[in-house]
Amino acid sequence: MTNKIKKIITHIVEVPLKNRWQISLYSANTRQHAVVEVILENGIHGFGEASPSPAFMGETAETIKLVNDLYLAPLLIGLPVDEIALAHTKMNQAIYAQTAAKSAIDIALHDAWGKTLNQPLYKLIGGEVRETVPLTYVVGIKNNEDAYEEAIRRANEGFNVIKIKVGNEPKRDIALVNLIRKAINDSGKEAKIRLDANQGYDVPTAIKVIKELEETGEIESVEQPVRKWNIFGIKEIREKVKTPIMIDETVFSLEDAMNAIKLGIADIINLKICKVGGIYQSKKIAALAEAAGMSCTVGSNLELGIGIAASAQFVTSTSVVKNPSDFICGAYLHEYDMTETPMMDLVKDGAMKVSEQPGLGIDVNTSLLGRES
């Protein structure tokens, strides 16, 4: 039996959220996930995941399944699982963009590859550059009292960056930041504040809000202050404020990252594994950022344990990810996970360590999948 790909199945899994999740782009009570299962001729199963929101990514779990079933999976059958570069070439030739669909397949290929070699994935994609992965906790848009309570609780748990979703109401955002600062002070812990506007501001408003906040304290960074296409607006903001500017929605591909670097629009890239084409493409983007003197963080699209594990393996092996990462976000928001061990159980003092098990290092609860023979 060989390590060639025998079958690729895309499952759609819907998991309710514990509470309504709201950012400036959308709000939701439940989340659909596209889970890819790669089956090799030797019987090994690899798993990948993407958790797209239509407003954020232009893809859904349904479109991912359609694209994978009709355009991507048929091209990869019979390919050795470790021919990942060739797999991406074939996928990119088959259909433009669709980076979430490609991400889910890429992660499943990496998981199966690691299992074939009986090695944890991080050892195959760079080795261990950090023993534990520092994490950021994300507070969604909610009333100020709830935001305060959540921030103080997570600061006490050891998260040293608290990320606040903003972008809808500038006055409310400024008041909320000051309240979160108070929560951190009240906790007695040292934690920084990161803001994420999810494209919610215009350029003048972003500059005004950031400058006003700079007068009263430090902000670790401000993420995606304006629309993703407004690259010159992002550049203008960066030039007029002291706070580091992070881009997320602006970077969906290697080419997007190169354009951002050439124009000098940001200091940090939020590199989402399940958004940019998977681990293979993420490594390329990370190398570009490192060469440009930038740093990275690894973010969340509210993935479950499969996507979270992929991000953790990547950060463990990638030195340029110097800013604490919020890829753990989905573990705290969903009613249940797809992994036998919930991913938030692996978090201690605001950080996590990847498993030494082969591949992604997780055991998937396959009873939650609509299994096909």
Side-chain angles (χ1 to χ4, degrees):
M1 302 294 282
T2 71
N3 71 343
K4 290 183 178 180
I5 299 167
K6 178 181 179 181
K7 194 170 187 178
I8 298 177
I9 306 167
T10 299
H11 310 274
I12 296 177
V13 178
E14 186 164 349
V15 181
L17 302 175
K18 295 177 182 177
N19 298 291
R20 188 167 187 82
W21 173 251
Q22 184 174 351
I23 63 175
S24 64
L25 281 176
Y26 69 90
S27 62
N29 291 314
T30 188
R31 192 75 171 193
Q32 282 195 332
H33 308 264
V35 176
V36 167
E37 184 177 6
V38 167
I39 304 171
L40 307 185
E41 290 181 357
N42 60 17
I44 285 174
H45 290 236
F47 294 93
E49 179 194 357
S51 177
S53 64
F56 185 91
M57 297 183 68
E59 293 178 74
T60 68
E62 289 91 349
T63 65
I64 288 174
K65 179 169 176 57
L66 177 70
V67 167
N68 287 356
D69 289 352
L70 295 184
Y71 295 96
L72 302 181
L75 295 175
L76 304 183
I77 302 304
L79 192 70
V81 72
D82 52 2
E83 296 286 356
I84 292 174
L86 180 56
H88 276 272
T89 297
K90 287 177 173 289
M91 289 193 292
N92 290 336
Q93 288 173 341
I95 191 166
Y96 173 74
Q98 305 301 317
T99 51
K102 295 169 185 175
S103 295
I105 288 178
D106 168 277
I107 293 166
L109 294 177
H110 278 87
D111 185 34
W113 178 33
K115 289 173 178 174
T116 297
L117 298 179
N118 199 33
Q119 292 287 323
L121 184 57
Y122 75 85
K123 289 190 177 181
L124 304 181
I125 58 174
E128 186 179 76
V129 300
R130 52 179 58 85
E131 290 185 2
T132 60
V133 177
L135 298 171
T136 295
Y137 189 84
V138 184
V139 178
I141 295 175
K142 55 181 62 181
N143 69 62
N144 286 3
E145 182 180 347
D146 288 345
Y148 173 89
E149 294 296 334
E150 189 167 11
I152 197 169
R153 182 168 69 255
R154 302 311 181 185
N156 279 320
E157 291 175 1
F159 289 90
N160 60 17
V161 176
I162 305 295
K163 175 167 150 178
I164 311 169
K165 293 289 189 178
V166 296
N168 280 347
E169 303 174 41
K171 289 184 178 180
R172 173 260 179 198
D173 294 344
I174 292 169
L176 178 61
V177 171
N178 290 327
L179 184 64
I180 299 303
R181 282 178 174 151
K182 182 179 185 304
I184 292 170
N185 288 334
D186 290 347
S187 74
K189 304 291 185 178
E190 292 187 6
K192 296 180 180 180
I193 293 175
R194 180 184 302 168
L195 303 185
D196 184 4
N198 285 118
Q199 312 178 64
Y201 295 135
D202 57 29
V203 173
T205 302
I207 293 171
K208 181 178 183 298
V209 169
I210 296 168
K211 282 190 170 182
E212 185 167 339
L213 290 171
E214 287 175 341
E215 293 176 359
T216 54
E218 180 185 3
I219 300 295
E220 184 245 22
S221 60
V222 176
E223 183 177 343
Q224 202 64 48
V226 297
R227 299 296 291 179
K228 63 181 182 179
W229 47 262
N230 193 0
I231 53 178
F232 294 105
I234 301 170
K235 182 178 176 67
E236 181 182 350
I237 295 166
R238 186 188 183 216
E239 290 171 346
K240 292 185 177 179
V241 302
K242 299 175 183 178
T243 301
I245 299 300
M246 180 187 297
I247 47 177
D248 175 4
E249 291 96 315
T250 293
V251 177
F252 272 74
S253 67
L254 187 68
E255 294 77 14
D256 288 343
M258 176 58 80
N259 288 337
I261 289 168
K262 283 181 177 178
L263 291 171
I265 70 171
D267 304 279
I268 308 164
I269 295 176
N270 186 342
L271 206 173
K272 292 181 176 175
I273 309 304
C274 303
K275 178 188 75 176
V276 300
I279 293 167
Y280 178 77
Q281 299 292 2
S282 294
K283 280 289 184 178
K284 290 184 177 182
I285 294 171
L288 279 182
E290 188 169 22
M294 300 176 73
S295 62
C296 294
T297 184
V298 173
S300 170
N301 285 324
L302 308 195
E303 291 87 6
L304 296 167
I306 299 170
I308 291 169
S311 295
Q313 295 280 343
F314 175 84
V315 177
T316 296
S317 65
T318 309
S319 59
V320 75
V321 186
K322 297 177 180 179
N323 302 77
S325 298
D326 61 53
F327 60 78
I328 194 70
C329 181
Y332 289 86
L333 298 177
H334 289 89
E335 288 283 359
Y336 53 87
D337 207 334
M338 289 195 60
T339 50
E340 296 290 354
T341 300
M343 298 306 289
M344 62 183 178
D345 288 358
L346 305 179
V347 179
K348 182 180 180 181
D349 298 327
M352 71 180 294
K353 181 174 176 60
V354 297
S355 166
E356 293 297 317
Q357 294 181 52
L360 294 178
I362 55 175
D363 294 313
V364 176
N365 183 353
T366 55
S367 67
L368 298 175
L369 302 176
R371 301 305 296 269
E372 298 180 25
S373 58

